[in-house]
Amino acid sequence: ANLQAKRALDAISGCNSCIASEDNDSIDVASVHSMSSSRFECDVDDVNCNDDECNGEEAYFDDFEEKLLQAFDNTSNKSVKSRCNALQLIKNAFTTRFMFDFIVERKLTVTDILERCLKRGKGEEQGYAAILATVVCISLGPGSETDAIFKEIQAHLLVTMLDPTALPWNRSKCSSALGLCCFIAGIGAESIDSIMDALHTVFSASFYKGNGVPPVHNPEITALHSSALLAWTLLLTIQSASLVLRLAEKHMKRIIELLDSSDVELRIAAGEAITVLHEISRECDADFEIDRMDILCEKLKALATDSQKFRAKKERRIQRSSFRDVLRAVEEGEPPSIQIKFGRERLLINSWSRKRQYDAFCQVLASGMNLHLTENELLRDIFELGPPLDLTIGQKTSKFERHMGNLAASKARTKTRGKLRDKRADVMAI
C-alpha cells in the first residue's frame, strides 16, 4: 500500500508519467495484447531502505492527498497551461490509484471542476476535462453518483463535439468521453440513441461525397471521425441485437465506404465497426449477410495484403494485421482469441464486442488498466472476472516489509535488554 501511494505521488508530481495514450491516439494492434503484470516499474527488492526512508514512507499518504487537493485548486488558476496541467495530474492520480471513496467524498467539487472546464475552457482545457470526466466515471462505476455527474456534463460534451470551430483534438476527446460515459451511466435508451445519432453525424463527414469520391480531410479531422466511430461502435455493444440488426441494414453500406479513407486509423475503426455490426446481427439473425459480400471481402483482402510503398512501413504492418482478423470474422465468423495476463489473473477476449470494450478502457487508463482490472468492480463485472481477489494470500514479503519487521524486533530487543541491565544494576548496588 505504501508503494502504491508512492507510485501515485510520482504520477501527480509529473516525475513518472505513465499515461501515453492521450498524446498518441494512433491505433496499435498491440493494444489488446498482454501488458506487464507488474503495476510498478521499480522492484521492491531493489529498494535500499534506511531509517529515514522507511519512516518517510508513511508521509507519502499525506503528501499524495495534499498534492492532489492542490491540483484541484489549480484548476481555477488564471493560466490556461496551469489548468491543463492540473487536470492531467488529477487524471494521472485517478488512473494510478483506485480512488472511489476520495471522489465520492468530493463529488460536488469534482463535478464543478468538470463543468467549469468543459463549459468555459480555453485551448486544450476542454479535451483534458473530457478525459478526466471519463476516468471519474470509470472510477465511480454505474450508480447515482455517475448518473448525476454525467447529467451535468453531457450537454457540454455534445456542444463541444459538434462545434466546428472548436479544436479537433478537444472534439475528439469529447466524442470518446461521450461514448464511455454513456456506456457506464444509466441514462436510458432514448439518450443513448440521441448520442449515437450525434456521433454518427460527426463521422459521416468522411462518407463518399455526391460524386462517389472519398473526401479529403486533414489528420486532425480524420482522428476526430475515427474517435466518433469507435465511440459509436462501443455503444453498439450495449444495444439489443434486434436494434443492431436494423442499424446494420441502415448504415453498413456507408460504413464500408470508410475503408477507402486515406487515414489508417479511420480504416481500422471502420473494420472494427463492421465486425461488431456483423457479430451482433448474427446473434439476432443467424442468416444475416452483408450486401455485396464478395466486393467487401475483396476490399478486405486488399487491405490485409497491402504492400503499397507510399504508405509507411508501420502503417502497413498495423493495417495488415488488423484486417486479417477482420477478414476472418466476416468470411468465417471467427471471433478474436486474445489472452491478457495481469497479476495472478487472466482475461480472455473472445468476441469483437468485448475487444471494443477492452480497447476503449485501455485507451483511457493506459498502464493503469492492470490496477483497475484488479480492483475496480466495474471492469471486473464487465469482463466477468468476479469479485476482487485477496492479493495478500500467499504474497511474498517485500524487502521493505522485512526491514520494518526486523526494525520493530530490534527495538523490542533493545528495550528488553535495557530493562535487564537496569535490574542487574540494582542487584549489584544491593
Side-chain angles (χ1 to χ4, degrees):
N2 289 339
L3 279 173
Q4 187 177 347
K6 182 177 185 296
R7 175 70 172 179
L9 181 60
D10 288 339
I12 291 181
S13 302
C15 300
N16 193 13
S17 176
C18 61
I19 308 299
S21 63
E22 68 190 31
D23 295 322
N24 183 7
D25 294 328
S26 62
I27 299 174
D28 195 333
V29 177
S31 67
V32 296
H33 291 293
S34 175
M35 297 183 291
S36 171
S37 60
S38 173
R39 273 195 260 155
F40 312 120
E41 296 173 0
C42 62
D43 187 343
V44 177
D45 290 338
D46 292 336
V47 177
N48 183 19
C49 291
N50 55 43
D51 290 346
D52 292 336
E53 289 174 343
C54 293
N55 292 333
E57 291 289 342
E58 297 178 0
Y60 273 107
F61 292 104
D62 295 335
D63 290 345
F64 170 79
E65 186 169 317
E66 181 180 345
K67 288 181 178 290
L68 184 52
L69 292 176
Q70 181 60 52
F72 276 33
D73 293 338
N74 290 345
T75 59
S76 58
N77 198 298
K78 290 184 178 180
S79 168
V80 175
K81 184 177 180 179
S82 294
R83 296 200 300 270
C84 290
N85 287 340
L87 292 169
Q88 287 181 278
L89 296 180
I90 298 169
K91 185 268 298 181
N92 286 348
F94 290 170
T95 53
T96 54
R97 291 187 74 184
F98 181 50
M99 304 191 66
F100 176 87
D101 293 334
F102 183 92
I103 298 173
V104 169
E105 291 170 0
R106 296 161 180 82
K107 183 181 68 175
L108 295 178
T109 303
V110 171
T111 304
D112 178 68
I113 290 172
L114 294 175
E115 188 175 12
R116 184 180 66 251
C117 293
L118 286 170
K119 185 177 181 179
R120 298 193 293 271
K122 306 294 182 182
E124 296 182 339
E125 185 178 355
Q126 291 174 313
Y128 288 120
I131 298 170
L132 176 58
T134 308
V135 175
V136 167
C137 289
I138 292 173
S139 298
L140 293 178
S144 58
E145 290 86 4
T146 299
D147 296 347
I149 291 176
F150 187 55
K151 183 179 178 180
E152 294 296 327
I153 65 174
Q154 177 182 343
H156 303 307
L157 291 170
L158 276 169
V159 167
T160 302
M161 182 186 73
L162 297 173
D163 183 3
T165 64
L167 291 176
W169 188 82
N170 287 347
R171 298 177 65 193
S172 176
K173 298 308 175 186
C174 286
S175 66
S176 298
L178 277 169
L180 255 178
C181 293
C182 184
F183 178 86
I184 297 169
I187 61 173
E190 291 185 4
S191 295
I192 295 176
D193 292 343
S194 66
I195 289 175
M196 291 186 69
D197 288 342
L199 292 166
H200 183 273
T201 299
V202 173
F203 69 77
S204 63
S206 280
F207 291 160
Y208 287 170
K209 295 186 289 186
N211 57 1
V213 177
V216 178
H217 298 293
N218 61 48
E220 292 78 12
I221 295 298
T222 53
L224 163 63
H225 296 172
S226 176
S227 295
L229 178 56
L230 290 173
W232 185 82
T233 306
L234 175 66
L235 294 180
L236 285 176
T237 66
I238 58 173
Q239 297 282 33
S240 66
S242 58
L243 175 58
V244 173
L245 176 60
R246 293 197 297 272
L247 291 173
E249 294 170 345
K250 180 179 180 181
H251 298 302
M252 183 72 83
K253 181 180 178 181
R254 302 307 305 271
I255 292 176
I256 291 174
E257 295 175 2
L258 300 178
L259 296 175
D260 293 325
S261 170
S262 60
D263 184 81
V264 63
E265 293 185 12
L266 187 54
R267 293 196 299 271
I268 292 175
E272 287 195 19
I274 291 169
T275 56
V276 171
L277 284 167
H278 184 262
E279 178 182 73
I280 300 177
S281 296
R282 281 292 187 92
E283 295 176 5
C284 182
D285 181 3
D287 298 325
F288 172 78
E289 289 289 345
I290 300 174
D291 289 339
R292 306 177 73 180
M293 174 72 86
D294 54 339
I295 297 178
L296 172 61
C297 289
E298 287 298 322
K299 187 172 290 190
L300 294 176
K301 287 177 183 177
L303 291 168
T305 57
D306 188 6
S307 60
Q308 300 183 51
K309 297 299 183 182
F310 69 87
R311 302 194 199 278
K313 185 176 180 181
K314 181 180 178 181
E315 179 179 316
R316 295 199 305 270
R317 176 180 60 80
I318 295 173
Q319 176 180 286
R320 288 196 297 264
S321 178
S322 177
F323 279 99
R324 282 195 295 267
D325 295 336
V326 172
L327 181 61
R328 285 194 295 268
V330 172
E331 277 191 326
E332 306 168 17
E334 181 180 331
S337 181
I338 304 166
Q339 194 172 81
I340 297 158
K341 181 181 179 182
F342 60 101
R344 299 202 299 258
E345 300 179 83
R346 294 178 186 272
L347 168 63
L348 177 63
I349 306 283
N350 56 4
S351 73
W352 287 100
S353 295
R354 178 164 287 191
K355 179 182 180 296
R356 174 82 288 273
Q357 293 168 0
Y358 176 83
D359 285 350
F361 284 104
C362 194
Q363 184 181 22
V364 176
L365 298 173
S367 61
M369 185 70 176
N370 282 356
L371 181 143
H372 281 264
L373 281 173
T374 302
E375 300 182 13
N376 191 325
E377 292 185 4
L378 167 67
L379 270 65
R380 297 189 67 84
D381 183 54
I382 291 172
F383 298 113
E384 301 177 354
L385 295 169
L389 300 182
D390 185 355
L391 300 179
T392 61
I393 299 177
Q395 190 175 30
K396 182 180 177 181
T397 305
S398 68
K399 185 175 181 179
F400 170 72
E401 291 170 334
R402 293 196 300 271
H403 176 84
M404 294 301 291
N406 292 337
L407 188 62
S410 176
K411 288 181 178 179
R413 287 195 300 270
T414 300
K415 289 182 179 180
T416 302
R417 288 169 181 168
K419 291 178 180 179
L420 291 175
R421 290 192 188 100
D422 292 341
K423 290 181 179 179
R424 286 199 296 270
D426 292 341
V427 171
M428 293 292 292
I430 293 173

